[in-house]
Amino acid sequence: MKIGSLHLKHKLLLAPMAGITDLACRLIMRPFGIGLAFSEMVSANGLVLGGEATKDLLISVPEDRPLGIQLFGENPEILAEACRRIEEHCDVIDINMGCPVKKVVRSGAGSALLKNPARAAGIVAAMRKATSRPLTVKIRAGWDQACINFLEIAHIAEQEGADAVTLHPRTRSQGFSGCADWTLIATLKQQIKIPVIGSGDVFTPRDALRMLEETGCDAVMLGRGCYGNPWLAGQILDLLGGKVPHAPTTQERCEIALLHMDTFLRHNSERKTVLDMRKHLCWYARGLSGAAQFRAAVNKVEQLEELRSVVKQFFRNAEPPAEVS
Ligand SMILES: Cc1cc2nc3c(=O)[nH]c(=O)nc-3n(C[C@H](O)[C@H](O)[C@H](O)COP(=O)(O)O)c2cc1C
């Protein structure tokens, strides 16, 4: 799998997910078979106008490669300037044309660009001119059921020099409801020459194989399926290689959950670690006996050392996980 000049070792990508795919999350996921991991979306305006919160989103380390940085914005010149500032720090630059969040859409960015093809074209052209890094565009199916225009936007992206298109085949108005319509990914794959990355509803290794088979997409982007489950990428590779997917033991879950916490702590305060890790720890416990009590306990803990011992105690006593589907 190649995106522009970048060769990927695996055709499994970690999705950009705001509030989730920070540095620690990416570092935890990578060794299991992620070929390219994306940052959370980063505001081009914030980056160029110098917000500290924006800079925090760009924190990375040499092991965090290949890295895609996703930008959002509505102004071609500012997005181009953002490309120039980040290109040394990443391997791929992505432009967000799918975010459904009101504040983002109101500013004309994210999925609002699906309703403004001329602006979308201007943005891809300006970013293409600004950087020689592989450039990708992430889109949804369209704004709503009455405006399904992913093909138009993907053609524009290709014409203006993008190296790949990622499609999450839901409309903006759908949010995350219903099912991702993978037939749209198959249609897109037949219509453009640059690689197509499929995104949406891959929760099991079989889902990933089905997406590859049914759509012909070049790569699969993993999103919510990785919540508390970095093993998913490895399980998909197992299945692709004709092996039985590895099901993590409770001890492995515990080790990775603690490693995730320690990795997060390396770049954050104890307080932020406790607060941010709560959701991840609850996800690591999903499907195990006693997970509900564990969730309640984790959400009350205020101190890092206490959190560590709650985690250790839970996984020591938890029943083995269910089979991988
Ligand atoms: C919490 C959360 C945050 C997300 N943030 C972003 C984002 O910053 N940029 C983006 O392009 N997509 C974002 N997405 C969409 C995902 O990248 C992905 O396309 C979508 O979740 C569908 O894949 P999934 O069903 O495998 O989760 C986000 C999704 C979730 C659940």
Side-chain angles (χ1 to χ4, degrees):
M1 164 68 180
K2 250 180 107 187
I3 300 180
S5 56
L6 179 72
H7 282 270
L8 301 186
K9 200 165 158 205
H10 303 295
K11 53 183 163 189
L12 304 175
L13 279 53
L14 180 63
M17 288 189 284
I20 311 288
T21 53
D22 53 28
L23 172 61
C25 179
R26 297 193 300 268
L27 288 175
I28 289 297
M29 303 289 164
R30 285 182 182 284
F32 292 93
I34 292 293
L36 171 67
F38 281 93
S39 68
E40 306 171 70
M41 64 179 192
V42 176
S43 161
N45 293 12
L47 193 79
V48 172
L49 305 174
E52 280 308 310
T54 305
K55 284 198 192 121
D56 284 353
L57 294 175
L58 295 172
I59 294 172
S60 184
V61 292
E63 309 84 83
D64 184 32
R65 302 298 278 262
L67 174 65
I69 295 184
Q70 187 189 58
L71 296 172
F72 75 97
E74 78 300 341
N75 180 312
E77 285 78 40
I78 293 182
L79 280 156
E81 177 56 23
C83 286
R84 286 188 279 272
R85 294 198 190 181
I86 61 172
E87 66 176 0
E88 286 304 305
H89 308 288
C90 65
D91 305 281
V92 172
I93 298 178
D94 184 78
I95 171 71
N96 181 321
M97 295 195 186
C99 178
V101 172
K102 271 201 188 115
K103 197 172 152 209
V104 172
V105 170
R106 249 189 264 126
S107 73
S111 55
L113 290 168
L114 301 175
K115 286 200 298 188
N116 193 345
R119 174 60 63 100
I123 285 175
V124 179
M127 292 173 76
R128 177 70 295 164
K129 212 166 144 208
T131 182
S132 56
R133 281 277 185 265
L135 180 64
T136 59
V137 180
K138 187 163 180 285
I139 61 176
R140 278 184 174 241
W143 178 258
D144 58 18
Q145 217 38 46
C147 176
I148 304 272
N149 67 340
F150 65 99
L151 282 179
E152 180 189 11
I153 301 291
H155 277 301
I156 287 173
E158 183 169 46
Q159 274 157 19
E160 299 299 341
D163 295 299
V165 172
T166 304
L167 175 60
H168 173 204
R170 284 186 173 90
T171 62
R172 187 266 172 178
S173 54
Q174 264 182 301
F176 283 89
S177 64
C179 292
D181 181 356
W182 291 356
T183 64
L184 306 188
I185 302 175
T187 303
L188 179 60
K189 178 60 195 165
Q190 284 165 8
Q191 298 278 327
I192 60 173
K193 292 191 189 69
I194 54 176
V196 169
I197 300 158
S199 167
D201 297 354
V202 173
F203 294 104
T204 68
R206 278 188 206 294
D207 290 340
L209 257 66
R210 234 173 12 88
M211 181 187 269
L212 286 166
E213 281 164 15
E214 290 177 13
T215 72
C217 65
D218 299 278
V220 173
M221 185 174 266
L222 305 177
R224 292 166 295 166
C226 287
Y227 283 4
N229 186 16
W231 297 274
L232 179 59
Q235 291 167 344
I236 296 168
L237 295 179
D238 284 342
L239 209 56
L240 282 169
K243 290 191 241 154
V244 176
H246 169 76
T249 62
T250 48
Q251 193 188 335
E252 283 171 290
R253 286 199 196 206
C254 183
E255 281 166 10
I256 294 294
L258 292 172
L259 181 65
H260 194 154
M261 196 153 89
D262 288 338
T263 308
F264 192 93
L265 182 63
R266 246 182 271 146
H267 300 276
N268 295 282
S269 66
E270 284 203 16
R271 177 84 193 131
K272 188 162 165 50
T273 303
V274 170
L275 296 180
D276 266 61
M277 281 306 299
R278 282 176 177 167
K279 59 178 182 289
H280 290 287
L281 295 173
C282 293
W283 289 329
Y284 280 111
R286 238 175 2 193
L288 300 180
S289 61
Q293 293 93 309
F294 175 71
R295 265 199 310 278
V298 159
N299 285 318
K300 274 197 219 112
V301 170
E302 298 285 341
Q303 300 300 323
L304 191 68
E305 272 323 302
E306 193 191 346
L307 188 57
R308 221 188 281 280
S309 64
V310 168
V311 170
K312 284 182 186 161
Q313 197 188 346
F314 168 73
F315 283 100
R316 203 179 301 127
N317 300 325
E319 292 291 321
E323 262 177 37
V324 181
S325 56

